[in-house]
Amino acid sequence: MDNILINGKLQMSLPDGFHVMDEDEKSGLRVLMSGPFIAFTDPQRHIIATVGWKNAGIASLILRASDIASGSEKQIAKGMQKYAYVSEGFSERNVGGTGASGFGYRYTPDEGIGMYGETHVLKKGTTVYFFNVYVRDELRDQSIRVWNDILGSAVWK
């Protein structure tokens, strides 16, 4: 089991089989987020996850995580229309003792394999964190259990 440190502030444990993706691997990802992010994957279980962050500045005083999640859902839905995007609805979760708002969705990329994704948004001070996971839809239940374990290991430093 490896530990990763996100933005120097959030530590999470990765189960055996995961590795942190290098810049070459990350460049092959189709991500809509801008700014810094860490990506990790377990190729055997077909799980890819990213955690990105950005300083929201004064907007962090006005916007709630749920507002940002709603805007993210619209952006992802628009960007993934050609992949038969289907919303699975919104949800709330806890990451390191802090509430996060998000949503799940299904899509089918060019390769034709049904996929499931989740995005959750968390605000901590003026920083907004984006937690994303992508798994094969046929393996969703066991993959999301692994993702939940990773998020459940989160500790703020």
Side-chain angles (χ1 to χ4, degrees):
M1 192 168 288
D2 290 327
N3 289 323
I4 57 172
L5 189 60
I6 297 158
N7 191 28
K9 297 178 181 178
L10 180 64
Q11 182 175 306
M12 296 191 320
S13 297
L14 301 181
D16 292 337
F18 277 87
H19 75 271
V20 175
M21 298 172 78
D22 63 28
E23 292 304 316
D24 284 340
E25 290 174 299
K26 284 170 56 173
S27 70
L29 296 176
R30 295 182 208 157
V31 295
L32 295 175
M33 76 177 94
S34 61
F37 71 97
I38 188 169
F40 43 97
T41 184
D42 180 335
Q44 294 296 322
R45 289 186 263 203
H46 304 284
I47 301 170
I48 298 173
T50 64
V51 181
W53 60 92
K54 62 180 162 184
N55 188 326
I58 196 146
S60 67
L61 301 173
I62 301 166
L63 295 173
R64 298 173 300 173
S66 60
D67 298 327
I68 300 167
S70 178
S72 295
E73 193 277 335
K74 289 178 179 128
Q75 180 183 16
I76 289 172
K78 182 178 179 182
M80 296 186 77
Q81 272 183 328
K82 65 181 176 180
Y83 301 117
Y85 177 94
V86 176
S87 174
E88 294 272 315
F90 285 85
S91 62
E92 301 292 321
R93 70 172 321 124
N94 184 295
V95 179
T98 303
S101 297
F103 54 94
Y105 53 94
R106 289 181 290 116
Y107 63 102
T108 305
D110 297 332
E111 299 82 16
I113 298 169
M115 299 292 291
Y116 175 75
E118 280 187 8
T119 295
H120 280 83
V121 178
L122 178 151
K123 275 185 19 178
K124 186 84 168 172
T126 60
T127 305
V128 178
Y129 293 86
F130 298 87
F131 299 85
N132 306 285
V133 67
Y134 313 95
V135 304
R136 287 191 175 178
D137 198 31
E138 67 188 49
L139 303 172
R140 180 196 313 195
D141 291 343
Q142 62 241 38
S143 297
I144 293 303
R145 278 195 295 276
V146 173
W147 178 236
N148 288 340
D149 289 346
I150 293 169
L151 293 178
S153 75
V155 177
W156 294 99
K157 297 291 178 183

